[in-house]
């Protein structure tokens, strides 16, 4: 399937859950392929010919043309969107299980997808890795938030067999999801995981740790009412998750529900009845979806390590949660702490307090001395544990580790993840528990900076303007007379002082231009000034999100209005290694595409900047399927081969291109 610069690829991993269930005599039950078949029949989820109302209502003229064309009739001849339709676009998908098994399908569903299954060959391409082409669904074209152009989302649904109720989800299933994301990481721009709500927060927490050095968007979602019901929340949840995944690079494992995107390891299920089923009491949402989609970019994690993405394949099953209660005895605690237990999440009273019974404290101390890791979290929904009380200090003295404001789901999965690392000792696990690895806990609050004075505000803005003039001006000739305004003249004009908000608004307007100028000139000093200015504005309480001009992804990822290139694109294109390294250290996103659909890695390879190619690859960059399938990479490599330029061929190889068995080019 041809990939275009105005479309995004998303893989939907459908594990099960209420969202795709039907009513039976046994209550709600999952039905294989019902979800895919239903989405295919709804134009808001599948509009391959772009002939629906959703694709033609951007203007009155567009609607009238569509309405008069006859395409608005309920049944349009020649618009066959059933599975198996000729020339149906497909996407290559990999899995750690065979794909497309029909052993559990009912005859009615099987007859509808039989052609697809027969035409789709599932190949075992490696040990435990299966590959096939799945039908691609295509959303109607919609306006990209923050940009003037339109975009559509192409997605494939990788359906598990059998589908799972989330109550049956286990640690091996968390690892399976992580593995399937890893197998398809280079082929898709983002991932949506459909999951039951009961244990969704456990899975989102676990995936946040298993997906190491994540650079792409991963969103879990589901529904309280299935798609099969007339009134449901499935449509909004799935469409919202697809829209965010296809239009924004938020490199975290997150959870989307009821118009809100949460950090995945910060949520708990709060209601089995309300559509607002999840809450994040100790951390604000990453995205709020209303009339506008508002991304809280200052709270989004940014990868700053020069490591490639990988999925961890191990979790320790020898962990458990123990909730303290009045009157609990030491014998109960010892039974819970007996082998093979290696870690315990201790849900304490209030701010980390526990009974002072000697037998209970002795049981905890003996367990810690044996190498068992015990984390203390609060039974309260909101708040954190601390050592302010004597009854909390005794736990710390016994060897119990404070878990800050982690949720029970997060504390359990983090403990399981760390205990599965064979190189970590119990002492090292204890030290890592209290550190935020994926933004899962709030670090101690530093002392707040003093309120800026008017002189500070004016000085900061003057420095910014000085840098702007220095970078944007040609070298000044010394023989040209300059007009200098002295301090007395400025004072005589009695200028008004600028407020901190005015300064922040001005900086938000100027900083993106200044960053691109600095990077284009390989001016690391200017780049560092911009990054420091943005960080200072954020720390002072006047953040990017509170100004009228919001910098998507932070100043380090600001896009040029004309080309949609990020600073990393510019640095890679120009061959400015120092700026590339500084941008990566500051959280630049390696998977961003510009207006032509290209990544920074593509430009570095095309321009022959071998060192930058190596640096980007080590930071997790990949070409993806777009550059290869549209022929850009193939043309560049073939030209280099015909010219006998082995150095250029080698650079493309280092970027991830290799020759396949049939002589064609494939991405490693």
């Amino acid at each position: 399937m041809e990939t275009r610069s105005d479309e995004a690829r998303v893989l939907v991993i459908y594990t099960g859950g209420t969202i795709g269930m039907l009513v039976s005599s046994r209550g709600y039950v999952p039905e294989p392929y019902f979800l895919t078949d239903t989405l295919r029949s709804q134009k808001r989820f599948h509009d391959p010919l772009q002939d629906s109302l959703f694709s033609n209502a951007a203007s009155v003229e567009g609607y009238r043309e569509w309405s008069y064309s006859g395409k608005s009739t309920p049944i349009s001849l020649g618009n066959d969107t059933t599975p198996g339709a000729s020339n149906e676009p497909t996407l290559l998908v990999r899995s750690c299980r065979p794909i497309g098994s029909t052993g559990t399908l009912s005859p009615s569903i099987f007859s509808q997808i039989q052609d697809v299954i027969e035409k789709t060959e599932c190949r075992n391409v490696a040990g435990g890795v299966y590959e096939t082409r799945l039908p691609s669904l295509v959303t109607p074209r919609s306006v990209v938030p923050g940009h003037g152009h339109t975009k559509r989302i192409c997605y494939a649904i990788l359906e598990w067999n059998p589908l799972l109720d989330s109550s049956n989800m286990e640690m091996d299933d968390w690892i399976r999801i992580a593995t399937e994301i890893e197998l398809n990481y280079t082929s898709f721009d983002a991932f949506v995981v459909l999951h039951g709500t009961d244990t969704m927060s456990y899975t989102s927490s676990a995936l946040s740790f298993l997906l190491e050095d994540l650079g792409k968007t991963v969103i879990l979602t589901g529904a309280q009412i299935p798609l099969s019901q007339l009134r449901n929340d499935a449509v909004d949840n799935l469409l919202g998750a697809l829209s965010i995944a296809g239009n924004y690079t938020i490199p975290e494992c997150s959870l989307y529900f009821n118009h809100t995107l949460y950090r995945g390891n910060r949520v708990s299920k709060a209601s089995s009845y309300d559509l607002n089923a999840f809450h994040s009491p100790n951390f604000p949402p990453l995205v709020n979806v209303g009339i506008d989609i508002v991304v809280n970019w200052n709270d989004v994690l940014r990868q700053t390590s020069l490591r490639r993405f990988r999925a961890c394949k191990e979790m320790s099953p020898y962990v458990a949660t123990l909730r303290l209660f009045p009157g609990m005895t030491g014998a109960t605690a010892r039974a819970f702490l007996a082998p093979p237990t290696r870690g315990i999440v201790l849900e304490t009273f209030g701010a980390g307090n526990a009974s002072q019974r000697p037998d209970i404290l002795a049981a905890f101390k003996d367990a810690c001395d044996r190498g068992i890791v015990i984390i203390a979290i609060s039974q309260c929904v909101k708040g954190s544990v601390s050592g302010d009380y004597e009854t909390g200090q005794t736990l710390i003295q016994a060897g119990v580790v404070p878990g800050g404001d982690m949720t029970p789901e997060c504390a359990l999965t983090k403990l399981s993840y760390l205990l599965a690392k064979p190189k970590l000792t119990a002492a090292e696990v204890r030290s890592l528990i209290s550190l935020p690895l994926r933004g899962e806990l709030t670090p101690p609050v530093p002392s707040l900076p003093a309120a800026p004075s008017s002189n500070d505000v004016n000085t900061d803005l003057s420095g910014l303007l000085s840098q702007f003039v220095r970078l944007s001006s040609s070298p000044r000739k010394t023989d040209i007379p300059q007009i200098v305004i002295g301090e007395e003249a400025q004072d005589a004009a009695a200028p008004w002082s600028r407020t901190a908000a005015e300064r922040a608004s001005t900086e938000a307007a100027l900083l993106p231009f200044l960053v691109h100028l600095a990077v284009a000139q390989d001016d690391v000093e200017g780049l560092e000034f911009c990054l420091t200015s943005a960080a200072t504005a954020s720390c002072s309480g006047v953040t990017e999100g509170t100004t009228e001009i919001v910098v998507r992804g932070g100043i380090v990822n600001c896009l040029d209005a004309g080309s949609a290139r990020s600073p990393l694109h510019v640095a890679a294109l120009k061959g400015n290694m120092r700026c590339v390294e500084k941008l990566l250290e500051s959280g630049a996103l390696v998977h961003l595409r510009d207006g032509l659909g290209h990544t920074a890695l593509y430009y570095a390879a095309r321009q022959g900047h071998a060192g930058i190619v190596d640096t980007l690859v080590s930071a997790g960059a990949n070409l993806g399927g777009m550059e290869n399938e549209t022929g850009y990479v193939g043309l560049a490599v073939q030209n280099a081969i015909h010219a006998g330029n082995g150095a250029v061929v080698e650079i493309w190889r280092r970027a991830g291109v290799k020759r396949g068995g049939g002589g064609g080019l494939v991405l490693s």
Side-chain angles (χ1 to χ4, degrees):
M1 175 182 177
E2 182 183 357
T3 308
R4 299 149 42 143
S5 60
D6 59 350
E7 67 183 29
R9 286 183 174 181
V10 177
L11 178 62
V12 178
I13 301 175
Y14 176 31
T15 68
T18 301
I19 190 169
M21 289 187 175
L22 292 169
V23 179
S24 74
S25 58
R26 297 174 286 125
Y28 284 130
V29 295
E31 178 68 18
Y33 294 98
F34 161 75
L35 180 80
T36 303
D37 196 46
T38 301
L39 296 182
R40 184 184 299 277
S41 68
Q42 297 187 13
K43 287 290 189 178
R44 69 176 67 242
F45 286 106
H46 186 49
D47 187 18
L49 302 180
Q50 305 294 299
D51 60 355
S52 70
L53 170 64
F54 305 108
S55 296
N56 294 274
S59 66
V60 173
E61 292 76 16
Y63 166 74
R64 289 173 178 171
E65 181 180 351
W66 168 80
S67 179
Y68 298 153
S69 69
K71 295 179 180 178
S72 59
T73 56
I75 299 177
S76 299
L77 297 177
N79 186 17
D80 184 8
T81 60
T82 59
S86 60
N87 300 321
E88 182 177 64
T90 60
L91 291 171
L92 186 66
V93 176
R94 288 186 169 187
S95 175
C96 54
R97 305 284 178 86
I99 306 172
S101 173
T102 59
T104 61
L105 296 182
S106 64
S108 60
I109 299 295
F110 177 78
S111 63
Q112 295 178 27
I113 66 165
Q114 186 175 11
D115 289 342
V116 174
I117 299 302
E118 290 178 351
K119 293 178 181 178
T120 302
E121 179 185 0
C122 180
R123 301 183 301 123
N124 188 342
V125 295
V129 178
Y130 299 87
E131 180 181 275
T132 191
R133 301 197 72 90
L134 292 179
S136 170
L137 279 69
V138 183
T139 66
R141 190 173 296 278
S142 61
V143 177
V144 179
H147 297 276
H149 65 276
T150 60
K151 192 176 187 178
R152 63 180 188 174
I153 299 169
C154 302
Y155 63 103
I157 300 178
L158 176 58
E159 182 168 318
W160 282 18
N161 180 24
L163 295 169
L164 298 180
D165 186 291
S166 68
S167 302
N168 294 320
M169 192 72 62
E170 299 183 357
M171 289 183 179
D172 287 343
D173 299 307
W174 299 340
I175 294 172
R176 178 182 174 185
I177 297 173
T179 302
E180 292 185 337
I181 290 175
E182 183 182 49
L183 290 174
N184 295 282
Y185 192 75
T186 60
S187 301
F188 290 87
D189 300 311
F191 302 87
V192 172
V193 180
L194 300 183
H195 195 288
T197 59
D198 286 348
T199 64
M200 189 187 296
S201 55
Y202 282 94
T203 301
S204 62
S205 294
L207 289 177
S208 74
F209 298 110
L210 291 173
L211 301 176
E212 298 177 347
D213 297 300
L214 181 65
K216 297 186 178 183
T217 307
V218 176
I219 302 177
L220 279 79
T221 194
Q224 293 281 71
I225 306 174
L227 190 63
S228 59
Q229 301 302 299
L230 177 63
R231 185 183 65 84
N232 65 71
D233 60 332
V235 169
D236 280 348
N237 288 344
L238 179 52
L239 199 58
L242 279 173
S243 298
I244 294 174
N247 290 305
Y248 298 93
T249 301
I250 301 176
E252 296 194 31
C253 179
S254 53
L255 188 153
Y256 182 80
F257 222 84
N258 195 41
H259 311 291
T260 308
L261 186 76
Y262 304 99
R263 177 166 293 163
N265 52 35
R266 287 287 198 157
V267 292
S268 295
K269 186 174 181 180
S271 175
S272 62
Y273 183 81
D274 296 324
L275 298 185
N276 186 22
F278 292 88
H279 69 167
S280 176
N282 294 310
F283 193 78
L286 297 176
V287 180
N288 295 101
V289 178
I291 294 177
D292 296 318
I293 298 178
V294 180
V295 182
N296 301 314
W297 288 113
N298 284 337
D299 291 327
V300 175
L301 292 176
R302 300 169 191 169
Q303 181 185 352
T304 58
S305 63
L306 298 182
R307 295 189 298 265
R308 292 187 64 79
F309 165 77
R310 67 178 293 272
C312 179
K313 309 296 196 312
E314 297 290 337
M315 295 195 78
S316 172
Y318 305 116
V319 294
T321 299
L322 175 60
R323 186 180 179 91
L324 293 180
F325 58 89
M328 191 177 81
T329 65
T332 301
R334 289 185 184 278
F336 213 81
L337 294 164
T341 299
R342 295 184 58 202
I344 289 292
V345 176
L346 186 65
E347 296 189 20
T348 61
F349 306 128
N353 304 315
S355 168
Q356 298 301 289
R357 287 182 55 137
D359 56 342
I360 290 181
L361 296 177
F364 292 148
K365 187 177 188 308
D366 290 346
C368 292
D369 292 342
R370 297 199 317 268
I372 295 177
V373 180
I374 304 178
I375 311 174
I377 63 171
S378 177
Q379 294 181 9
C380 300
V381 172
K382 190 173 185 178
S384 176
V385 300
S386 68
D388 294 341
Y389 294 87
E390 178 186 3
T391 50
Q393 282 288 340
T394 54
L395 285 179
I396 296 175
Q397 293 168 4
V400 177
V401 183
D405 57 357
M406 284 191 289
T407 65
E409 300 93 332
C410 174
L412 185 74
T413 54
K414 182 178 183 179
L415 184 58
S416 173
Y417 165 76
L418 291 175
L419 288 174
K421 299 283 187 181
K423 295 182 179 179
L424 295 180
T425 64
E428 291 171 329
V429 170
R430 291 190 180 101
S431 65
L432 290 173
I433 284 295
S434 299
L435 295 177
L437 304 180
R438 309 285 193 277
E440 71 278 4
L441 57 86
T442 305
V445 179
S447 59
L448 294 176
S453 65
S454 60
N455 289 335
D456 293 334
V457 172
N458 292 330
T459 300
D460 291 345
L461 190 55
S462 297
L464 178 66
L465 292 174
S466 297
Q467 291 286 340
F468 189 85
V469 171
R470 181 179 69 83
L471 287 168
S472 60
S473 302
S474 301
R476 191 175 62 194
K477 296 182 179 180
T478 57
D479 58 345
I480 298 178
Q482 303 295 320
I483 299 175
V484 179
I485 301 177
E487 292 184 4
E488 293 184 1
Q490 294 184 36
D491 292 338
W496 284 19
S497 299
R498 299 177 181 88
T499 66
E502 289 171 335
R503 184 204 69 187
S505 179
T506 304
E507 288 183 352
L510 293 177
L511 278 174
F513 297 100
L514 187 56
V515 167
H516 279 267
L517 283 171
V519 170
Q521 298 181 23
D522 201 21
D523 190 321
V524 178
E525 178 187 350
L527 177 59
E528 289 178 341
F529 176 87
C530 296
L531 298 175
T532 303
S533 298
T536 302
S538 177
C539 292
S540 65
V542 185
T543 62
E544 296 163 297
T546 61
T547 63
E548 293 183 359
I549 300 177
V550 178
V551 181
R552 294 183 60 178
I555 196 68
V556 73
N557 294 302
C558 59
L559 303 182
D560 175 74
S563 64
R565 288 176 181 165
S566 70
L568 189 61
H569 281 103
V570 177
L573 186 63
K574 294 280 189 177
N576 297 337
M577 172 64 86
R578 296 189 305 158
C579 283
V580 167
E581 293 174 341
K582 185 62 182 179
L583 289 167
L584 291 175
E585 292 171 2
S586 304
L589 299 170
V590 297
H591 299 296
L592 283 181
R593 295 182 182 179
D594 66 3
L596 298 176
H598 296 311
T599 61
L601 178 59
Y602 169 80
Y603 286 120
R606 194 188 73 178
Q607 297 301 106
H609 303 311
I612 293 179
V613 167
D614 292 340
T615 300
L616 291 173
V617 169
S618 67
N622 58 70
L623 293 172
M626 189 267 174
E627 286 90 358
N628 193 37
E629 293 184 9
T630 51
Y632 293 112
V633 172
L635 180 61
V637 175
Q638 292 299 332
N639 288 340
I641 293 174
H642 293 156
N645 195 334
V648 172
V649 176
E650 172 62 17
I651 289 174
W652 283 108
R653 186 195 66 79
R654 287 152 70 171
V657 179
K658 61 183 181 180
R659 301 190 72 84
L665 299 175
V666 297
L667 299 178
S668 58

